[in-house]
Amino acid sequence: MDASNYLYISALLFTIGAVGVVVRRNAIVVFMCIELMLNAANLSFVTFSRINGNLDGQVMAFFTMVVAACEVVVGLAIIVAIYRSRRSASVDDASLLKR
Amino acid sequence: MMQLAIEVGQTATPEAVMFWILGPLAVLAALGMLLVKKAVHSAILMAFVMVVLAVFYIAQDAVFLGIVQVVVYTGAVMMLFLFILMLVGVDSSDSLTETIRGLRPIAITAAVGFGGLMVSLLGRATLGRDAIGLSAANADGNVEGIGYLLFSRFVWPFEVISALLVTAALGAMVLAHQPRSSKKTTQRQQSINRFRGESIATAAGLPAPGVYARHNAVDVPALLPDGTPAPNSVNASLKARGDMLDSNTFDLKKISTQVEEEK
Amino acid sequence: MTISTSLVYLIGLPFAGAAILLLGGRRTDKWGHLLATALSGSSFVVGVYHLIQMVNRPTEMRPISQKLFEWISVGSFNVDAGLLLDQLSICFVLLITGVGTLIHIYSIAYMSEDRDRRRFFAYLNLFIAAMLLLVLGDSYLSLYVGWEGVGLASYLLIGFWNQKPAYATASKKAFVMNRVGDMGLSLAIMIAFATMGTVSFAGVAEQAHHTSEAALTAMGIMLLVAAAGKSAQFPLQAWLGDAMAGPTPVSALIHAATMVTAGVYLITRSNFVFDAAPTAQLLVVIVGAITLIFGALIGTAKDDIKKALAASTMSQIGYMILATGLGPIGYAFAIMHLITHGFFKAGMFLGAGSVMHGMNDEVNMRKYGALRQFMPITFITFGIGYLAILGVPPFAGFYSKDMIIESAFNSGGMQAIFLGSLTLIGAAITAFYMTRVMILTFAGTKRWDEGVEPHESPWLMWFPMAVLAVGSVTSGYLLYHNKALYKWLSPLFEDHGEHEELLKPIVVSALALTMVAIGVSIAVYKYMRENIETVAPVDVSWITKFVRKDLMQDQFNEKFFMRPGQLLTKALVTTEDVVVDGSVRGVARMAIGSGSGLRGLQNGFVRSYAALILVGALTLIAAIWVVVS
């Protein structure tokens, strides 16, 4: 079995996450899908790290995790703020930018 | 022979077994995330995918990342998700019918194309050499190796990203903070309101939920001395969320008044 | 070269007058004309003062200059706004301010009934200032400013009664045709700058020896175009006749005595260019010769007294241009004829104005007749001018015109006989049409309209006419005596020694007088005995019809310049509309179209934006895929 199998699964997970962002309306699920995409990228980093034989990829994955954490914190705060004013967590309801 | 395979980055048989079991499960769980109606189920499936990824990390000699993945994602991040889900309504389920015309076909077509092209590209990508493996890089231990890199080559990004983290924390506080729109009522004002309000009935304060009720739960209304339930004994936010049980089901008149013998 | 600080007053005084009158508005209505006349007169006094100073200095110290300010300073290119008063300029200064002041005095009476008299005097002062700047500038660039200034003043004064559309059109015509000449002058300046790196007269004179003949020829031709535009020479002559729409004093000052002679000044001033460019010089001669016959022919068919005089002006300036084209032997005589012409032609125009004043502004000579008894002073002054232009001794024109004819005969080669003959024929035609004017106006029977009562003009009007008449009698002899003007101007020109004499002066004079006598006789024979119709006869030969239409000059311009110009403009407008605007509008329409098309994408739903990102990523990946495979 080849290490690039991990890359294939990473691509699949990433694609699934992307579809989820588009098709799901619940803001929290959308966020989870984004997390899924980030994790898929992380898996690629780790695999590349293994293929290249150094730890740079793992450090990158570490950074990605921190950024993801930041993003989740801020994003969820935004969701809470929106929910408080609109009583809805659907991203379709927050479509006021059109006008 | 086995040792040689590890050396050149070929996955060994136990790892292959693990991969072929966990990999399809992770993909199925990820697909399930998209298809289930309730957000909380999505969250659980998500947690499963993340644990699988942690296993994959460890299998690929990224022990530190695997542990961090479990702690940070399945621990902190998923808890945060669940906490917000609680706040927003844990039971609310999404309708999966698409409201924006044409979006779903476009998304699925694009995604299939994207995934297919990615896989196709990865399949033909070649390094011109075999995978190296991390035995040499992890000679002093995985944590030490990463630590060494973080505090030498990547110390500047590390500092920057810590600043980002602090900023994000502050930003979350600012976003979640809601300034008080009305003046806070003092105790004096509250007692005036209680006695000079529309009805003297509230003067003694609202009944607490569960009092004289058959259940000692927060969403069960109290029973008044005449046996009727008091809807205003349940917290207003539960009512607003629709989590309050129907008061009428607790009306004493509608159930048998025969006292059951305590065993 | 002497330095002076008082030159600026020459220009400054009339300019201040124009500024006060134009900015002061109606407040200056009561005394504006007096102020303007006084300022013009004081400018004349300053001029006379400078003349006396100049005469008393040795020859090489005579030119004086004044630096006003540093005008343009770009890298190695420096132009100072400076004034230069030398022997040539002083002639013009005195002519401009002297005749100008007389015409100011005349206008006080002539324009007394006009409610815009103040504006008229403001423009007159503006003209004097601009004309003085033209002749006093020490570089082509300063000259250009004055050149444009007189063009502006001329435009304003021709269209002074612009409530009449025909007059407004006439001023526009003069302005536009002058622009053609101005283009020539600006091109000449650019050529001078490009080839010699300087635009001052002194600088160009110095550099002319080291510059290629081709460049000098180009510059000379451009200067000739400029001169032709301003001096109404062939082929830019058509505006002068229509310029008579302006008040008569304007015709006398600007379109007879001073501004139209600016071309002669320009060529004389640029003698160093023309002396080194024989081709350009030859063209100058040709232009002068054509114009002198052309103008004279037009003069024979005009019934409008002012237009007849205008045609005569054109013809006389043709003489001057011809003389300047002859080179060093001709410059002084051109200037001499210019000065005498300034006297007698201004006098005759004022006389015409006086006649019009007495005849209810009638300009058609066929409705005059027998005015001799009713306007004696006008008759005498006009008659003196008439004798002067004919070249009857001892009047001014005899000396100046004879000198030009003589120079033409003495210019050497085959062209000498040809040119000399042309000038003689011109003199004969001049005699014919001027006699015609005299007879139609002052002799014969009364052909006046009903209710016209001719009367002599007030003294404010006949006094300037009398002064100019005195000038018309004496100026010729004074300038000719002992070759006074020739010696005065000769330091400015490089004379190449004596010329062969084809004909002796006495023979030339005899020939000229014979030709004049022939012209006068024909005119007397045709017009003295005949009963003149008040309407021009229609059944005339095609030659007469041709001449009456100004030798088709307007038709020619219209057919060969105006119509193609309009076609070009229309084509350009269409091109602009379809191609330029079309492409601009096309871009706009494309932007609008794509905008309204893409607006559908901007539906406010985050998810559709995310889908677009996904499609974008797909495109990117696809591109990579294509590149890789």
Side-chain angles (χ1 to χ4, degrees), chain A residues 1 6 24-26 51 84, chain B residues 11 15 36 94-95 132 176:
Chain A
M1 194 194 112
Y6 288 110
R24 291 304 295 257
R25 270 196 299 274
N26 190 327
I51 291 171
R84 240 185 345 220
Chain B
T11 35
E15 192 188 352
V36 295
D94 282 353
S95 147
I132 293 171

Side-chain angles (χ1 to χ4, degrees), chain A residues 18 21-25 91-92 95 97-98, chain C residues 602-611 614:
Chain A
V21 168
V22 177
V23 299
R24 291 304 295 257
R25 270 196 299 274
V91 288
D92 283 2
S95 63
L97 265 182
K98 185 164 57 172
Chain C
Q602 209 270 351
N603 53 10
F605 292 113
V606 179
R607 294 191 298 130
S608 65
Y609 302 159
L614 186 58

Side-chain angles (χ1 to χ4, degrees), chain B residues 158-239:
Chain B
F158 182 77
E159 296 293 340
V160 171
I161 215 139
S162 61
L164 178 69
L165 202 52
V166 172
T167 316
L170 277 173
M173 277 194 258
V174 170
L175 281 169
H177 176 74
Q178 202 178 25
R180 184 176 289 279
S181 56
S182 59
K183 205 182 157 195
K184 191 181 180 187
T185 47
T186 57
Q187 257 186 332
R188 176 184 158 77
Q189 190 60 44
Q190 282 176 354
S191 69
I192 288 174
N193 286 347
R194 197 182 298 157
F195 286 96
R196 301 205 180 140
E198 284 176 18
S199 159
I200 197 75
T202 58
L206 293 171
V211 176
Y212 303 125
R214 294 194 305 160
H215 303 281
N216 191 11
V218 78
D219 58 348
V220 177
L223 290 181
L224 295 175
D226 59 353
T228 55
N232 56 359
S233 67
V234 179
N235 193 308
S237 61
L238 283 179
K239 242 187 279 182

Side-chain angles (χ1 to χ4, degrees), chain A residues 1 6 8-9 15 19-20 24-26 35 39 42 47 50-52 56 58 65 68 70 73 83-84 92, chain B residues 11 15 33-34 36 50 57 60 69 73 88 94-95 97 99 111 123 127 129 132-133 142 153 165 172 176:
Chain A
M1 194 194 112
Y6 288 110
Y8 294 133
I9 208 166
T15 311
V19 175
R24 291 304 295 257
R25 270 196 299 274
N26 190 327
E35 291 301 315
N39 272 296
N42 269 355
T47 311
R50 179 187 189 185
I51 291 171
N52 285 328
D56 288 3
Q58 294 191 15
M65 278 184 190
C70 294
V73 168
Y83 180 76
R84 240 185 345 220
D92 283 2
Chain B
T11 35
E15 192 188 352
M33 261 178 75
L34 305 188
V36 295
M50 284 172 174
Y57 293 170
Q60 299 204 76
Q69 171 84 2
Y73 273 108
V88 171
D94 282 353
S95 147
T97 51
T99 48
L127 282 171
R129 59 172 167 76
I132 293 171
N142 182 251
R153 258 180 74 194
L165 202 52

Side-chain angles (χ1 to χ4, degrees), chain C residues 21-271:
Chain C
L21 262 58
L22 284 176
L23 299 177
R26 297 239 167 266
R27 263 160 296 186
T28 58
D29 270 357
K30 280 205 176 4
W31 42 267
H33 51 283
L34 300 176
L35 176 79
T37 311
L39 286 173
S40 173
S42 42
S43 192
F44 176 65
V45 172
V46 176
V48 170
Y49 162 79
H50 275 295
L51 175 69
I52 295 168
Q53 295 277 312
M54 191 183 280
V55 170
N56 288 336
R57 280 197 297 272
T59 310
E60 64 273 14
M61 295 289 285
R62 274 176 181 164
I64 58 177
S65 65
Q66 177 180 5
K67 183 188 164 183
L68 295 180
F69 53 87
E70 200 171 82
W71 187 9
I72 300 172
S73 175
V74 184
S76 61
F77 178 61
N78 283 290
V79 179
D80 290 338
L83 301 179
L84 168 73
L85 183 70
D86 59 5
Q87 291 94 324
L88 180 61
S89 314
I90 193 79
C91 300
F92 276 88
V93 167
L94 291 175
L95 180 71
I96 295 158
T97 54
V99 176
T101 306
L102 288 174
I103 284 169
H104 271 79
I105 295 170
Y106 180 91
S107 307
I108 294 176
Y110 189 84
M111 301 294 286
S112 59
E113 302 297 318
D114 201 293
R115 57 191 182 87
D116 282 332
R117 182 165 66 166
R118 173 190 52 83
R119 187 160 63 86
F120 180 79
F121 274 87
Y123 291 163
L124 273 190
N125 263 8
L126 177 67
F127 169 75
I128 300 263
M131 189 72 200
L132 286 172
L133 178 61
L134 194 163
V135 298
L136 285 174
D138 71 344
S139 70
Y140 282 104
L141 222 49
S142 316
L143 179 141
Y144 190 69
V145 174
W147 189 271
E148 293 295 331
V150 294
L152 169 69
S154 160
Y155 167 75
L156 291 171
L157 285 167
I158 294 171
F160 185 73
W161 289 316
N162 54 14
Q163 59 269 35
K164 292 189 188 172
Y167 290 5
T169 313
S171 67
K172 209 187 292 173
K173 181 176 178 184
F175 198 71
V176 169
M177 294 202 76
N178 265 300
R179 289 281 78 71
V180 180
D182 297 348
M183 198 68 79
L185 183 54
S186 55
L187 283 176
I189 296 173
M190 288 174 207
I191 292 171
F193 174 62
T195 56
M196 307 179 208
T198 175
V199 294
S200 74
F201 295 138
V204 174
E206 196 183 316
Q207 294 287 323
H209 298 293
H210 318 301
T211 312
S212 71
E213 194 183 315
L216 287 174
T217 305
M219 185 177 168
I221 290 171
M222 285 303 138
L223 288 172
L224 175 62
V225 171
K230 196 59 90 189
S231 296
Q233 297 297 293
F234 183 83
L236 299 174
Q237 79 287 2
W239 63 272
L240 188 61
D242 294 301
M244 295 302 124
T248 309
V250 170
S251 310
L253 177 61
I254 301 184
H255 305 118
T258 54
M259 186 192 84
V260 286
T261 60
V264 181
Y265 171 79
L266 182 67
I267 294 178
T268 312
R269 180 57 88 191
S270 313
N271 58 75

Side-chain angles (χ1 to χ4, degrees), chain B residues 219-221 229 231 234 242-251 254:
Chain B
D219 58 348
V220 177
V234 179
D243 281 346
M244 191 184 75
L245 300 176
D246 192 3
S247 304
N248 295 331
T249 57
F250 301 101
D251 199 337
K254 290 190 177 166

Side-chain angles (χ1 to χ4, degrees), chain A residues 51-74:
Chain A
I51 291 171
N52 285 328
N54 59 34
L55 293 174
D56 288 3
Q58 294 191 15
V59 174
M60 283 304 140
F62 174 76
F63 285 147
T64 312
M65 278 184 190
V66 180
V67 171
C70 294
E71 180 236 322
V72 164
V73 168
V74 175

